[in-house]
Amino acid sequence: MNRATAKHLIERYFRQLTEGCGNGNCTNEFCASCRDFRPLDSNSAAARALELFKINAKLCDYYPSFKSSADGNSLLDSTMSDKDTNDDFSDVHYLTENNICMILNFCEEEGDYSALVRVIGRVFSNAEALMKSFKKDEPNATENSCKPTDVEKQNDQTLEKMGAASAATLPDDALSDALSACEVAVDIQAVRRVYDRLLSIDQVEASLVNALIYLTPNVELDLEYLDVYEANPDYLNIFIIVMENSNLHSPEYLEVALPQFCKAMSKLPVTALARLSKLWSMYGLPHIRRMMETFQQLITFTVVSNEYDAENLVNDDETVVAATQCLKIVFYASILAGDVDVEHNEEDEEDTDSDELTLHELLGEERLYKKGPRVDPLEKELGIQTVDSIHPVIPFEDFVNESLNDVVEMDKDFTFFKVNAETKFSFQSCPFILSVITKNQGLYYDNRIRMYSERRLTALYSMVQGQQPNPYLKLKVRRDHIIDDALVRLEMISMENPSDLKKQLFVEFEGEQGVDEGGVSKEFFQLVLEEIFNPDIGMFTYDDETKLFWFNSSSLENEAQYTLIGIVLGLAIYNNCILDVHFPMVVYRKLMGKKGTYLDLSDSHPVLYQSLKGLLEYTGNVKEDMMLTFQISHTDLFGNPVLYDLKDQGDQIPVTIENRQEFVDLYVDYILNTSVERQFRAFKKGFLMVTNESPLKYLFRPEEVELLICGSRKLDFEALEKTTEYDGGYSKDSQIIKDFWETIHSFGEEQKRFFLQFTTGTDRAPVGGLGKLKMIIAKNGSDTDRLPTSHTCFNALLLPEYSTKEKLRERLLKAITYAKGFGML
């Protein structure tokens, strides 16, 4: 506990001993409001307060007085009217829809809302009183019910128009049943009706703000040090009730009240956070989105209102951190409220960890190199993962906060994520708020640190064993035998010392002079993929309609070939290279631990998907009209038909309207999982050899992994032109440069991809698009007949200053069309 927190708690004990809690029925022997309490002087009270702090004695909730004060020093009294009424409703100790409506009717008759302001302020500033409010077992208002105003009716009609049933709010009865399932005692509908009336009254709004400011610091301390939720799970009611306030995003709350409230909420134990997430998932889209936007607005407001740098990190901003942790609750609520698949999971690879100490552990670096993916505590409590989500009610992209991504120092954040997770907050623990570009930076730091570590360990081993150090993963290959050479070398490494795969890749083509600073590796990957995906080899099948590859279930190639392509994909991510790979999304979902399902067929096998969809939607007599059985057929590598029984004696079991869903499920499982199990298991094994210790699975969703491996297919050359730098005497205003970009923009799609391949070593854009590519155009002499050249390692184009635009176009086209191989200039 820090000094400021300890001081605040001691002050609360002192005030309790000297002033009491204000509750006339208090039974706490350490409180001045208790009838049996013996008054203490200030010095005695101070000493006693210190003793109570040491033994963690009971602290009462404070019941503030709401009478007008002459000096006006009280924060809550400042919202009250000086008018003294005969009926101040001092007997109201908690709120129900009944008593609120009764007080509202009284105030409207009197033309004065001061009594209502007092009651609202008194209850909303007191944790115990608010916790007891709006219980479901209280009788609802009848004659005094809070009827919606015309404005509220109009708002409800607007929400109804917002979309489909999944976007609508649950009916009253359904929501009540859902709340019962979550063991929540709050009458949510009553709370919403009350807020609809209260928030239209300015004086009440001010009282709510000030009461929240008073309430939350005490709630935060109680949660952090007194374990109040464990003692009484109804403590969660406070957060349920406050979050129903639809004005929390307004400026009145953003300055103080909402930040303090988020800090208190972030102190809830994970069991309470899981209850909140489950409850909110039942609210419907409009309410989940409102809460998401509330926390997002607080994060954005705080970030743009402050300046951050390497010394003043956004990770140290308590408001941003707390709001991000609260946003995580909404994130999982959005997943739970959408379409989820928690059943179809791939079996995890067996853990072959040795009991022997590793060198990393001997050096005290085991925290940096933990094996296996992280597990988020809230994910574990909810029993769900991000990869389980098929369609969340709020798109994942809406949870990304661009303002935050602009100020996060990823090198520092990575250190907190890997080393200081217990004491420092890392935004990588809430990856949903980070863009794929930002997360890729974190992955880059992780990969580079592993490379440097392997290099250092190699040096240590070589010193001990007296051998020549080999700090790189060196591959020497022949162009015309690239698969054989790469397969033999990588297979030896994977068997003898798999950790060598974590070293930085260094490729050398036999007989060529190119030094690998990144560009040679890019061409190596490209050539390997061209060979492996060659239809003549038969490892993969190609769909002319989707332009995608799928594993050939009848391939004659051994598993080592598939392991190689898995290693290649892992090395590409590890070495920050973009590959020209065309897999359906189900491959990346399977790599992340999910099995292929019916929905995955839509992009991997679209014709089959439409056929099975037609079967499921058919309204006629399935048995007689379709004449299908649980025996299916497909063609092998040589075009011969292969029969397969989905169930024992499947050819004797007809497909009917009753069992057609089972037939579809078994059919899909065979096509996407069972039939290619041998090939995919080897492929995944190779991929995990490189990425098993990476935070890849924790940080990225399947579609983001595809983006890491394949890059963006959208080529925005306008963005590339804006970010290109010039050297050797060229500038953006040089005539040759103007001619160059006019020529590039006039190229067709294929020619543009040739140019990218020639200049950067790949025809794909990196994560974030071509605007993230740092290309350099340097002057390479005056007018000449020589062709342009490039350094693909550095994305540098060496361009002679040609005399005419026509000559520039002709020389450039020839260079990019016939470019292959490396040489020294």
Side-chain angles (χ1 to χ4, degrees):
M1 187 185 303
N2 60 41
R3 185 186 297 271
T5 303
K7 179 182 177 184
H8 186 79
L9 279 173
I10 294 170
E11 288 174 351
R12 283 185 65 187
Y13 281 116
F14 178 78
R15 186 172 62 188
Q16 180 173 294
L17 291 167
T18 55
E19 300 176 12
C21 66
N23 182 4
N25 299 319
C26 182
T27 58
N28 185 359
E29 61 178 316
F30 304 123
C31 178
S33 294
C34 180
R35 293 178 181 178
D36 301 328
F37 183 80
R38 297 180 63 182
L40 301 172
D41 59 45
S42 297
N43 290 333
S44 301
R48 186 66 172 148
L50 189 57
E51 294 175 4
L52 296 179
F53 168 74
K54 291 178 180 178
I55 63 173
N56 198 23
K58 179 181 177 181
L59 267 172
C60 293
D61 284 320
Y62 186 50
Y63 288 77
S65 172
F66 287 85
K67 294 180 180 179
S68 301
S69 60
D71 56 12
N73 288 331
S74 171
L75 172 65
L76 292 167
D77 288 347
S78 66
T79 68
M80 310 302 172
S81 168
D82 289 334
K83 180 179 177 180
D84 189 17
T85 62
N86 292 328
D87 194 347
D88 61 358
F89 299 97
S90 58
D91 59 334
V92 176
H93 300 302
Y94 58 89
L95 300 179
T96 66
E97 187 177 11
N98 247 340
N99 61 28
I100 285 289
C101 294
M102 178 181 65
I103 299 170
L104 261 173
N105 292 339
F106 170 83
C107 292
E108 288 171 353
E109 291 175 5
E110 293 290 320
D112 180 10
Y113 289 99
S114 58
L116 177 63
V117 168
R118 288 188 179 90
V119 174
I120 293 297
R122 182 168 70 245
V123 174
F124 270 83
S125 64
N126 184 277
E128 186 175 350
L130 190 56
M131 181 174 60
K132 294 178 179 178
S133 297
F134 303 108
K135 291 289 187 74
K136 282 190 290 188
D137 53 2
E138 294 291 338
N140 283 328
T142 54
E143 295 179 4
N144 295 325
S145 65
C146 296
K147 297 178 180 178
T149 64
D150 292 339
V151 174
E152 290 149 16
K153 289 179 181 177
Q154 186 177 353
N155 289 339
D156 290 341
Q157 292 170 359
T158 302
L159 287 178
E160 289 173 5
K161 295 177 183 178
M162 286 181 65
S166 62
T169 307
L170 286 173
D172 289 8
D173 294 341
L175 183 57
S176 297
D177 294 342
L179 293 176
S180 299
C182 288
E183 300 179 350
V184 174
V186 178
D187 188 341
I188 299 294
Q189 297 295 350
V191 174
R192 290 173 182 171
R193 289 192 293 267
V194 167
Y195 269 123
D196 285 342
R197 292 295 304 277
L198 295 182
L199 295 178
S200 62
I201 305 169
D202 291 341
Q203 302 97 305
V204 174
E205 178 87 64
S207 179
L208 283 169
V209 173
N210 290 329
L212 196 57
I213 292 173
Y214 190 91
L215 169 75
T216 47
N218 294 333
V219 170
E220 181 183 354
L221 290 171
D222 289 346
L223 284 168
E224 191 163 10
Y225 300 110
L226 302 182
D227 298 328
V228 288
Y229 175 79
E230 286 77 1
N232 186 359
D234 279 350
Y235 205 81
L236 193 66
N237 296 356
I238 296 170
F239 299 93
I240 296 171
I241 292 170
V242 172
M243 280 306 299
E244 287 304 313
N245 185 341
S246 59
N247 280 4
L248 285 177
H249 65 280
S250 62
E252 293 82 1
Y253 292 89
L254 288 177
E255 290 281 358
V256 181
L258 187 56
Q260 288 186 179
F261 178 73
C262 289
K263 292 173 191 174
M265 186 186 290
S266 67
K267 296 297 190 294
L268 283 167
V270 69
T271 52
L273 298 177
R275 281 183 66 199
L276 266 183
S277 192
K278 290 177 182 177
L279 172 66
W280 290 349
S281 71
M282 300 173 184
Y283 278 8
L285 175 58
H287 293 284
I288 299 175
R289 180 169 286 281
R290 172 181 58 79
M291 290 185 284
M292 183 272 290
E293 291 174 348
T294 296
F295 295 128
Q296 285 281 37
Q297 191 154 343
L298 176 58
I299 294 169
T300 301
F301 173 80
T302 307
V303 168
V304 300
S305 301
N306 295 279
E307 293 184 2
Y308 303 100
D309 51 36
E311 301 299 324
N312 179 31
L313 297 172
V314 69
N315 303 67
D316 296 325
D317 192 312
E318 292 183 348
T319 297
V320 176
V321 169
T324 301
Q325 292 170 326
C326 293
L327 186 62
K328 179 190 282 189
I329 308 172
V330 186
F331 175 75
Y332 286 111
S334 171
I335 290 177
L336 290 169
D339 297 329
V340 178
D341 173 21
V342 295
E343 298 177 355
H344 300 91
N345 298 313
E346 294 273 7
E347 294 182 7
D348 292 333
E349 297 291 321
E350 292 185 7
D351 192 357
T352 57
D353 286 354
S354 170
D355 292 332
E356 297 180 6
L357 285 175
T358 65
L359 189 54
H360 286 308
E361 291 169 331
L362 292 172
L363 294 173
E365 297 176 343
E366 66 276 9
R367 285 183 300 175
L368 269 175
Y369 305 99
K370 294 175 184 173
K371 290 193 175 182
R374 286 171 173 254
V375 178
D376 185 276
L378 185 54
E379 272 192 358
K380 185 177 181 180
E381 185 69 25
L382 290 170
I384 193 170
Q385 303 177 71
T386 303
V387 72
D388 294 333
S389 177
I390 300 172
H391 295 295
V393 293
I394 299 177
F396 289 121
E397 294 76 16
D398 290 3
F399 285 91
V400 176
N401 189 293
E402 294 297 342
S403 299
L404 176 65
N405 279 265
D406 290 341
V407 297
V408 172
E409 300 281 346
M410 282 307 292
D411 54 341
K412 303 286 196 308
D413 192 88
F414 170 78
T415 304
F416 302 155
F417 181 64
K418 298 295 290 188
V419 182
N420 301 327
E422 294 82 6
T423 57
K424 284 283 194 178
F425 177 80
S426 165
F427 288 100
Q428 290 179 82
S429 65
C430 298
F432 58 85
I433 203 170
L434 300 176
S435 68
V436 65
I437 300 172
T438 306
K439 288 187 285 190
N440 191 37
Q441 288 180 317
L443 186 66
Y444 174 82
Y445 287 122
D446 184 80
N447 294 340
R448 284 297 178 268
I449 285 178
R450 289 181 191 278
M451 289 179 185
Y452 297 149
S453 173
E454 291 298 332
R455 192 179 301 177
R456 188 161 60 106
L457 293 180
T458 299
L460 287 173
Y461 280 129
S462 63
M463 289 172 61
V464 172
Q465 298 173 356
Q467 297 178 354
Q468 183 72 21
N470 185 19
Y472 298 101
L473 170 60
K474 287 190 175 181
L475 297 179
K476 187 172 183 178
V477 295
R478 296 165 293 175
R479 280 185 180 272
D480 51 352
H481 295 84
I482 192 166
I483 294 295
D484 294 337
D485 293 350
L487 181 62
V488 170
R489 179 70 178 133
L490 289 174
E491 195 170 17
M492 287 177 55
I493 292 171
S494 63
M495 289 190 299
E496 295 176 1
N497 193 7
S499 63
D500 279 1
L501 295 172
K502 308 290 196 309
K503 295 177 180 179
Q504 185 174 348
L505 181 63
F506 190 94
V507 177
E508 179 183 350
F509 284 105
E510 190 174 285
E512 298 184 20
Q513 299 172 309
V515 178
D516 192 3
E517 292 288 343
V520 181
S521 297
K522 291 177 185 178
E523 180 155 3
F524 164 75
F525 284 128
Q526 179 193 357
L527 295 175
V528 168
L529 293 176
E530 286 179 0
E531 287 286 330
I532 285 183
F533 286 102
N534 187 334
D536 295 337
I537 293 181
M539 290 181 63
F540 295 90
T541 60
Y542 182 72
D543 190 310
D544 291 322
E545 182 181 344
T546 62
K547 311 297 183 185
L548 298 174
F549 287 94
W550 182 247
F551 296 87
N552 189 344
S553 58
S554 56
S555 171
L556 302 178
E557 298 294 333
N558 59 37
E559 295 180 12
Q561 298 274 34
Y562 288 99
T563 302
L564 171 62
I565 188 61
I567 291 174
V568 167
L569 257 67
L571 287 175
I573 292 178
Y574 197 63
N575 290 272
N576 206 32
C577 288
I578 302 296
L579 300 183
D580 185 19
V581 176
H582 302 270
F583 280 136
M585 184 57 63
V586 63
V587 170
Y588 302 101
R589 282 176 49 79
K590 285 168 72 69
L591 283 176
M592 301 294 272
K594 300 300 293 184
K595 286 186 176 181
T597 61
Y598 168 67
L599 292 176
D600 293 313
L601 279 180
S602 60
D603 67 328
S604 64
H605 300 76
V607 176
L608 177 59
Y609 172 77
Q610 290 299 329
S611 298
L612 295 178
K613 183 180 179 183
L615 171 62
L616 292 174
E617 296 174 352
Y618 188 66
T619 56
N621 190 318
V622 172
K623 180 179 179 180
E624 296 182 1
D625 296 346
M626 299 288 189
M627 300 183 67
L628 296 171
T629 67
F630 276 73
Q631 185 182 73
I632 62 173
S633 67
H634 61 94
T635 56
D636 65 10
L637 183 64
F638 304 104
N640 300 318
V642 177
L643 299 178
Y644 179 79
D645 286 346
L646 298 176
K647 298 176 72 172
D648 289 341
Q649 297 182 336
D651 60 327
Q652 304 298 318
I653 305 174
V655 177
T656 66
I657 194 169
E658 290 80 14
N659 65 15
R660 61 182 174 181
Q661 184 64 59
E662 181 187 12
F663 172 79
V664 168
D665 291 340
L666 291 173
Y667 199 153
V668 171
D669 184 59
Y670 173 74
I671 293 297
L672 296 183
N673 303 310
T674 307
S675 67
V676 295
E677 182 177 4
R678 177 181 68 85
Q679 293 86 343
F680 187 81
R681 186 181 295 276
F683 170 75
K684 186 176 181 180
K685 176 186 175 183
F687 184 77
L688 292 179
M689 281 183 182
V690 187
T691 63
N692 63 330
E693 297 177 10
S694 168
L696 183 76
K697 187 174 180 180
Y698 180 85
L699 293 177
F700 296 91
R701 305 189 305 275
E703 59 270 25
E704 293 176 327
V705 174
E706 182 191 30
L707 194 61
L708 289 179
I709 295 174
C710 305
S712 174
R713 297 181 183 181
K714 182 181 178 182
L715 301 181
D716 184 359
F717 276 82
E718 300 285 349
L720 178 62
E721 181 179 356
K722 292 177 182 177
T723 57
T724 297
E725 299 176 358
Y726 304 96
D727 196 11
Y730 283 158
S731 72
K732 65 178 182 178
D733 297 320
S734 302
Q735 185 59 46
I736 182 71
I737 297 300
K738 292 179 181 179
D739 293 342
F740 169 81
W741 285 115
E742 288 178 8
T743 301
I744 291 293
H745 294 314
S746 70
F747 281 171
E749 186 72 16
E750 184 179 16
Q751 291 172 327
K752 287 180 178 178
R753 292 194 180 278
F754 281 162
F755 170 75
L756 272 183
Q757 180 73 51
F758 174 75
T759 310
T760 68
T762 176
D763 64 354
R764 299 290 188 93
V767 175
L770 286 180
K772 298 295 179 181
L773 185 67
K774 300 299 181 185
M775 191 174 80
I776 301 173
I777 300 179
K779 187 175 181 178
N780 191 24
S782 56
D783 186 27
T784 178
D785 289 333
R786 286 186 295 116
L787 298 174
T789 52
S790 65
H791 294 305
T792 54
C793 306
F794 309 106
N795 303 326
L797 175 68
L798 305 183
L799 185 67
E801 191 171 10
Y802 297 114
S803 56
T804 65
K805 183 177 178 180
E806 290 72 21
K807 186 174 184 180
L808 165 66
R809 180 184 180 86
E810 183 268 330
R811 295 280 85 188
L812 185 60
L813 275 175
K814 183 171 287 189
I816 65 177
T817 305
Y818 301 102
K820 183 168 283 191
F822 291 88
M824 300 295 289
L825 296 176

